[in-house]
Amino acid sequence: MSSPTSTAESVPTTLLSRLQQVVEHAGSHPEAAVCDLLRILQAEHGWIDDERLQLVARLCGISPVRVEELCTFYPLVLREDPGRHVLRICDSIACHLAGAPGLLRMAVAQSGVPLGQSNGHYSVLPHVCLGLCERAPAAFVDGKNTVAPLSAEALRQLLQGWERES
Amino acid sequence: MCKKGIVPTRCAMAEVFYLDGEAIPFRAGQNVLEAVLAHRQESSIPYFCFHPAMGSLGACRQCGVMVYPHDGKHPPRLTMACLLPASRDLQLGRAEAKVQHEHQLISELLMRNHPHDCPICDEGGQCHLQNMTVASGHAYREYEPEKRRYQSQELGPLIRQEMNRCITCYRCVRFYQDLAGGEDFGVFGSRDRVFFGRLEDGPLESPLAGNLAEVCPTGVFTDKVYHQDYLRPWDLEESAGICPHCSIGCNTRPGAARGRLRRVRQRSHGEINPHFLCDRGRYGFRYVAAEDRPRQAQAGGRRQDVDSVLDRLAARLAEGRSAFLGSPREDLDSNLALFALARVLDAPFAAFFEPWEEAKAREILALPHPPAPARISAYAEILVIGAVDRVAPTLPLFLRAAHDRGAAISLLRCLPSPLTALAGEDRLLPPADLLDAAWDWLGQRHHRPFLLLIDSESVGPELLHLLRREIGTWPDGSGILPVYRQGNLPGASFYAVDGHASRLRTALAGHDYDHLLALGQDPQEMDGPWWRSHGDIDLSLIDHRRSLSWDDAWLTLPCAALSERPGLYYNGEGRLQAAAVAYTPAREERHWRSELGPFPLAAGGALREELLPSPVELCRALAERLGLSERWQERLRFHRDFLLRSEPRPGDPGVFLPAELRARFRLHSAPPPRATDQGWSVCRFSHYSEEELANGARELHSLAPASAAWIAPGQQEARQVRLRAADGTSRTLPLRELPDMAAKVLAIPRAELVFLGLRPGDGVDPEWLD
Ligand code: SF4
Ligand code: SF4
Ligand code: FES
Ligand code: FES
């Protein structure tokens, strides 16, 4: 993976030029564009595969190791295919007190796979504080919508809905 | 000066602060931990993440001390010694119960996930974590049965990883990325899941990677080569060594036991290698255990004992038709011993077989006192010529430090370089253009002292000559530091750089001489075409490595390797340093039936010494056989005394070649410039692991790429290239593309250049083949 991989096939040219624009915008610090590039690529593809990692490294002029350091540090960047949907349930202190552990257990039971793994359709991930502590327990759906507070019933329906979809 | 006592005593000389009542002197800018470490051998404050080369991070929280504010308002507070600037009259407590308890708690925290595998951990016996845990007084801890576990990585032949032992001090990644500039190693994840490693399995790419084994305070990164021959560190005999693998002359600490050299670690020399060694220096020592290392003397194609071979050689020398060749990689005394023998026989002697190399050596000797490697970081303007990072892999550490201090670094190069990231000005050039480019650089006005760092393998003597002639016009303190891969070039060539190589060749080419006795230098490895066209010369070799001509030589005498004998070496600054004997080779075997093969000493075996004679001993034996003992001794003493005004001992910082002795080399006229054309030319391709001796170190050498001709991408469709030597022989090499190298240049390994009789910068007419 430390050797550059071709991204020619998997990243459409329009997207590539958009990424290049973002890098240009960063001026003399192309490495500053790294988070934006990861965000855009993840929105398009659902997660960051090795090819996209290499592409980001190349565009930003930094080593792939540097990009991976960032990806593995931030829980919002996914380096594995999560399936079609991702549910993040906050397990930080306020949500923990408001019942997050129970919700996580439920989600594991319903999805049939451990936390952080995809059952082919979706993944449930524990997450750090979402900044919705006053409405704990909080959840973040598909990287777009927040649900807070998340009730056990709402969780069951959400996951059921996803299962039906598949 | 500063006495320990209950009542604080004031130190008259330096500013002090007080730790448990003891006055600790400090320098401005030091933090408390640093000052305590500098003051005592063993710190009374436990610590992990602080490292003298990397500074403080405050990550491990182990170095807490109690600070007593003087203002009478604030209560005493616990703070990290590594983050607390030392200041006058600071009152600190370490020995009190609260601080001790804190140290114990942090130890407990760090040990919580640590495996209990000390008995099988290579770090055992030199483990900072073990020492600190014991020092903090932590012994019993509670932990949940499930410990954090990692999958470790396979990081190549030099470094082993056992990630479960990590205490997240971040020393490794700070070293690898921040100091060494490595790009293939990092820290991944967050919280208690951080992982230090590569993106995927594979050899670490940095030529400084071996330092991870010393930098890591636990057993995460350990020396894989040492592991093959592992004995507990306390069973090793360590000595003061000098790295013989390049002109920097880093100080080393070889560790040996039971007749085997098992590892090399760094020994700090403030001016040369304050903290680190390169991997060539750390792992190159394994040439002593090369499978094909010669151990059997032979003469005229027959294996014989050393005495008979010496008889035969002495008889040959007595004929008066022999010439002598020394070696810039052999120690001073070996060279002088051979030189003295040549003198008493009134025979030609040269230190170089190649007049071109000799001319460069002369220019190197003529340089007025080059600056010490560690001083590089003090320069504000530096011009780097050639591939210094490949020749002397520790140099980028100093250049990076200079860059971090704001130095302007300019780079003139033919090959890709990790220094590109540091260089404000970076020019890719064919070797023949390096001189003009250097001249341009000098033409820009430089008001501050500056440094020229020259890879003397990439350039010719004319460049060195013209640049050094200018030194007088440069701002005071400016200088040139040349780098090359021979460990004792000034020492070997001091008496033999005035046209000796040409005279030696003329002598051998004529009718009066038909035999060459060479020590540690194989003429075929210096100039292939010349040697091939003089096939009637008989060659006698004294060496500890199987060189190209070894198996076909008329006579061969294997000798002790450098680490098996004491030695004096002049490094590139002209600093003479002494290396002690690192070990005496021996075999562990059954003392009752040795033919049954190796048998461990620990199980009742015996040690049988296998020491080969040193070159000095061989020369002495020859002088005796020739009846010239006394004259040889006298000569040797005379040359030695002239050169050595004082003789350093192992462990000393070294003494310099006196300026007046260097001065005489300045009188030489300029070497003739070479014709340059606009076509293709060659430069030397080398890997950092590469050096004549280190090439025999199996593990290190396994990382070197296979022989090829490298060119810049997009220049040729061809898959191979054929190059011709002047004598009509040719070499066909696979073509490989190498991004970021100069156009119209073929980068070729030294062995191929020599075979073809080419020098870096020579024009060639490549024949492209599919
Ligand atoms: S691997 Fe070693 S040096 Fe790196 S953080 Fe862990 S303990 Fe520290
Ligand atoms: S090869 Fe050179 S730079 Fe490396 S350790 Fe030896 S003397 Fe130092
Ligand atoms: S703790 Fe869950 S949103 Fe803040
Ligand atoms: S050495 Fe001070 S916090 Fe680690």
Side-chain angles (χ1 to χ4, degrees):
Chain A
M1 211 156 64
S2 49
S3 58
T5 325
S6 157
T7 39
E9 302 95 61
S10 42
V11 178
T13 27
T14 44
L15 181 60
L16 197 61
S17 56
R18 187 168 150 221
L19 299 176
Q20 271 154 352
Q21 269 172 14
V22 175
V23 174
E24 268 162 39
H25 190 72
S28 58
H29 288 285
E31 68 277 11
V34 62
C35 284
D36 282 335
L37 298 196
L38 289 171
R39 193 173 44 74
I40 295 169
L41 284 167
Q42 184 161 303
E44 166 262 352
H45 185 66
W47 59 292
I48 304 294
D49 57 9
D50 291 351
E51 285 177 35
R52 284 169 177 78
L53 182 98
Q54 297 284 351
L55 174 68
V56 171
R58 219 168 48 240
L59 289 172
C60 294
I62 53 180
S63 68
V65 163
R66 280 287 156 101
V67 181
E68 179 76 331
E69 288 181 329
L70 207 125
C71 293
T72 54
F73 183 82
Y74 289 120
L76 282 173
V77 187
L78 300 178
R79 283 284 280 125
E80 271 171 49
D81 188 353
R84 277 181 65 185
H85 297 285
V86 193
L87 174 65
R88 293 181 169 87
I89 300 178
C90 171
D91 67 350
S92 290
I93 188 146
C95 298
H96 185 95
L97 293 174
L103 293 173
L104 285 163
R105 271 196 302 276
M106 242 185 84
V108 168
Q110 198 168 338
S111 70
V113 289
L115 283 180
Q117 287 184 20
S118 162
N119 64 4
H121 318 303
Y122 63 84
S123 305
V124 180
L125 310 175
H127 201 85
V128 292
C129 178
L130 290 164
L132 301 165
C133 318
E134 80 284 8
R135 286 186 277 145
F140 192 37
V141 182
D142 283 340
K144 289 187 211 106
N145 312 314
T146 54
V147 184
L150 174 72
S151 66
E153 183 51 23
L155 173 63
R156 197 180 52 79
Q157 282 183 10
L158 179 74
L159 298 184
Q160 251 175 19
W162 285 348
E163 275 152 26
R164 269 200 300 275
E165 242 176 59
S166 58
Chain B
M1 274 185 302
C2 306
K3 287 210 194 72
K4 196 172 171 167
I6 307 296
V7 182
T9 44
R10 204 170 254 285
C11 214
M13 305 294 288
E15 301 238 70
V16 295
F17 62 82
Y18 299 94
L19 179 66
D20 296 333
E22 181 188 357
I24 312 273
F26 67 93
R27 276 184 291 108
Q30 274 182 325
N31 63 55
V32 165
L33 181 63
E34 220 175 347
V36 171
L37 285 174
H39 185 55
R40 302 186 189 153
Q41 280 296 325
E42 276 301 315
S43 166
S44 55
I45 306 175
Y47 68 100
F48 288 112
C49 60
F50 172 81
H51 185 283
M54 296 166 224
S56 309
L57 189 67
C60 71
R61 315 310 289 174
Q62 182 71 78
C63 66
V65 286
M66 196 64 87
V67 188
Y68 290 89
H70 290 302
D71 59 8
K73 278 189 271 172
H74 296 90
R77 67 176 204 286
L78 195 79
T79 194
M80 294 305 124
C82 70
L83 297 177
L84 183 65
S87 63
R88 204 169 131 202
D89 293 342
L90 202 59
Q91 294 284 351
L92 304 171
R94 147 74 180 95
E96 53 204 80
K98 208 170 161 197
V99 178
Q100 259 162 20
H101 183 60
E102 171 81 11
H103 288 168
Q104 286 172 6
L105 285 178
I106 296 290
S107 278
E108 177 167 358
L109 186 72
L110 294 176
M111 290 301 291
R112 196 162 261 210
N113 277 306
H114 195 83
H116 287 175
D117 63 350
C118 301
I120 55 144
C121 174
D122 283 5
E123 196 72 2
Q126 59 188 21
C127 180
H128 192 76
L129 175 63
Q130 211 172 58
N131 297 346
M132 293 295 134
T133 308
V134 173
S136 74
H138 165 68
Y140 297 99
R141 64 190 148 273
E142 288 172 19
Y143 65 93
E144 293 135 30
E146 199 58 28
K147 289 196 176 195
R148 178 196 56 198
R149 274 172 302 169
Y150 292 103
Q151 175 78 47
S152 295
Q153 288 179 322
E154 180 57 54
L155 297 176
L158 307 180
I159 287 286
R160 221 169 100 110
Q161 186 190 38
E162 175 41 74
M163 193 47 208
N164 290 329
R165 299 179 183 141
C166 180
I167 56 157
T168 55
C169 69
Y170 282 72
R171 278 189 188 189
C172 53
V173 72
R174 286 187 288 156
F175 168 75
Y176 203 93
Q177 291 188 349
D178 303 350
L179 300 191
E183 298 205 317
D184 62 320
F185 179 94
V187 48
F188 307 112
S190 64
R191 305 195 319 197
D192 62 343
R193 300 162 314 186
V194 283
F195 185 91
F196 298 83
R198 279 169 48 87
L199 273 185
E200 59 185 0
D201 287 6
L204 291 161
E205 286 162 17
S206 167
L208 295 154
N211 289 296
L212 290 179
E214 289 198 56
V215 157
C216 177
T218 83
V220 178
F221 296 110
T222 51
D223 184 331
K224 214 177 204 172
V225 173
Y226 173 37
H227 183 76
Q228 298 172 19
D229 245 348
Y230 188 77
L231 273 186
R232 285 290 179 200
W234 59 73
D235 284 330
L236 299 183
E237 284 164 36
E238 298 196 311
S239 55
I242 300 298
C243 175
H245 302 296
C246 91
S247 64
I248 302 295
C250 293
N251 289 202
T252 59
R253 191 185 304 286
R258 301 183 196 167
R260 290 211 293 278
L261 186 53
R262 291 166 196 260
R263 71 169 184 195
V264 165
R265 309 240 295 173
Q266 81 104 21
R267 182 168 62 87
S268 171
H269 187 304
E271 299 258 271
I272 300 173
N273 58 316
H275 305 286
F276 306 110
L277 284 185
C278 79
D279 287 2
R280 194 195 306 149
R282 186 178 302 275
Y283 301 108
F285 78 92
R286 288 274 294 162
Y287 78 89
V288 301
E291 266 164 35
D292 66 346
R293 179 170 162 196
R295 301 195 179 268
Q296 175 68 51
Q298 66 79 26
R302 293 220 338 262
R303 296 168 140 230
Q304 285 176 9
D305 61 81
V306 175
D307 281 321
S308 333
V309 173
L310 280 168
D311 290 343
R312 197 125 173 223
L313 181 55
R316 183 77 189 250
L317 297 181
E319 290 171 17
R321 297 168 59 81
S322 301
F324 291 75
L325 185 63
S327 166
R329 70 147 150 89
E330 284 297 315
D331 69 291
L332 183 68
D333 282 306
S334 301
N335 274 289
L336 290 183
L338 192 71
F339 178 57
L341 195 59
R343 293 305 290 264
V344 293
L345 289 167
D346 204 16
F349 174 94
F352 293 89
F353 191 71
E354 244 283 5
W356 195 66
E357 297 291 341
E358 180 187 286
K360 283 200 275 190
R362 186 166 58 231
E363 294 303 330
I364 288 167
L365 275 165
L367 288 170
H369 198 120
R375 292 273 163 93
I376 292 173
S377 45
Y379 281 91
E381 289 180 62
I382 303 170
L383 176 66
V384 180
I385 304 177
V388 296
D389 53 291
R390 291 167 195 255
V391 179
T394 56
L395 286 190
L397 289 170
F398 304 119
L399 285 164
R400 192 164 290 275
H403 173 263
D404 292 348
R405 287 186 193 175
I409 298 176
S410 303
L411 190 53
L412 309 177
R413 61 187 174 98
C414 317
L415 293 175
S417 164
L419 301 174
T420 306
L422 310 177
E425 182 191 353
D426 176 18
R427 295 178 66 187
L428 264 182
L429 303 157
D433 292 352
L434 291 172
L435 177 57
D436 283 345
W439 215 251
D440 286 351
W441 187 86
L442 288 172
Q444 305 159 13
R445 287 189 183 282
H446 300 282
H447 301 294
R448 291 174 294 183
F450 58 82
L451 173 69
L452 263 56
L453 209 51
I454 305 179
D455 150 20
S456 71
E457 294 175 351
S458 295
V459 303
E462 63 283 355
L463 180 139
L464 291 166
H465 180 87
L466 292 173
L467 296 182
R468 74 140 169 99
R469 289 270 295 262
E470 293 294 305
I471 288 185
T473 66
W474 299 348
D476 270 356
S478 300
I480 297 180
L481 179 64
V483 293
Y484 41 86
R485 273 171 240 232
Q486 295 104 335
N488 182 35
L489 178 142
S493 48
F494 183 81
Y495 289 110
V497 285
D498 299 317
H500 289 70
S502 302
R503 286 204 294 282
L504 180 93
R505 285 181 174 215
T506 314
L508 287 169
H511 297 296
D512 297 339
Y513 293 87
D514 59 5
H515 173 235
L516 177 66
L517 171 57
L519 159 69
Q521 181 169 197
D522 184 338
Q524 198 185 339
E525 292 181 351
M526 299 295 143
D527 189 342
W530 195 95
W531 192 250
R532 287 194 295 274
S533 63
H534 294 80
D536 49 346
I537 301 167
D538 282 338
L539 178 63
S540 294
L541 289 169
I542 300 177
D543 210 344
H544 38 94
R545 106 173 229 275
R546 190 173 297 265
S547 64
L548 211 51
S549 308
W550 189 269
D551 294 326
D552 306 320
W554 175 71
L555 180 148
T556 52
L557 272 168
C559 66
L562 299 181
S563 42
E564 296 161 5
R565 45 182 153 108
L568 292 168
Y569 301 86
Y570 274 107
N571 77 354
E573 308 163 70
R575 184 198 298 261
L576 184 67
Q577 302 189 96
V581 180
Y583 80 117
T584 302
R587 249 202 357 226
E588 287 172 86
E589 59 183 29
R590 292 164 178 80
H591 50 82
W592 58 98
R593 271 180 73 188
S594 62
E595 71 280 6
L596 287 180
F599 193 75
L601 198 63
L607 266 191
R608 200 179 58 198
E609 260 193 29
E610 290 188 312
L611 185 60
L612 292 161
S614 73
V616 176
E617 285 160 353
L618 291 172
C619 289
R620 180 178 299 123
L622 288 169
E624 274 164 16
R625 282 168 169 76
L626 289 161
L628 293 166
S629 262
E630 250 170 56
R631 285 183 53 208
W632 173 76
Q633 291 248 354
E634 233 167 70
R635 268 280 162 193
L636 180 56
R637 205 172 312 123
F638 171 78
H639 293 307
R640 215 172 179 275
D641 291 349
F642 181 77
L643 200 55
L644 301 185
R645 307 290 155 89
S646 66
E647 189 177 330
R649 281 174 323 198
D652 288 353
V655 295
F656 288 100
L657 187 61
E660 70 273 17
L661 291 188
R662 296 189 85 119
R664 79 174 177 88
F665 297 102
R666 261 167 239 157
L667 305 173
H668 283 276
S669 52
R674 277 184 298 167
T676 55
D677 54 25
Q678 298 305 304
W680 283 83
S681 63
V682 287
C683 78
R684 173 173 171 176
F685 176 89
S686 70
H687 186 249
Y688 71 81
S689 65
E690 203 179 290
E691 182 269 335
E692 217 169 84
L693 297 177
N695 288 349
R698 186 159 42 95
E699 300 79 10
L700 179 70
H701 192 63
S702 69
L703 293 169
S707 186
W710 279 266
I711 54 169
Q715 297 201 87
Q716 261 301 324
E717 300 282 291
R719 302 249 288 273
Q720 300 185 79
V721 62
R722 182 180 297 147
L723 294 168
R724 282 185 196 288
D727 65 350
T729 50
S730 71
R731 215 48 161 189
T732 304
L733 294 166
L735 266 185
R736 302 251 180 284
E737 291 195 336
L738 188 61
D740 200 29
M741 70 168 277
K744 288 212 140 185
V745 173
L746 278 161
I748 292 173
R750 191 188 121 80
E752 309 294 349
L753 287 176
V754 169
F755 177 88
L756 294 162
L758 293 170
R759 299 155 179 170
D762 280 351
V764 283
D765 190 10
E767 193 182 325
W768 310 105
L769 309 170
D770 279 330

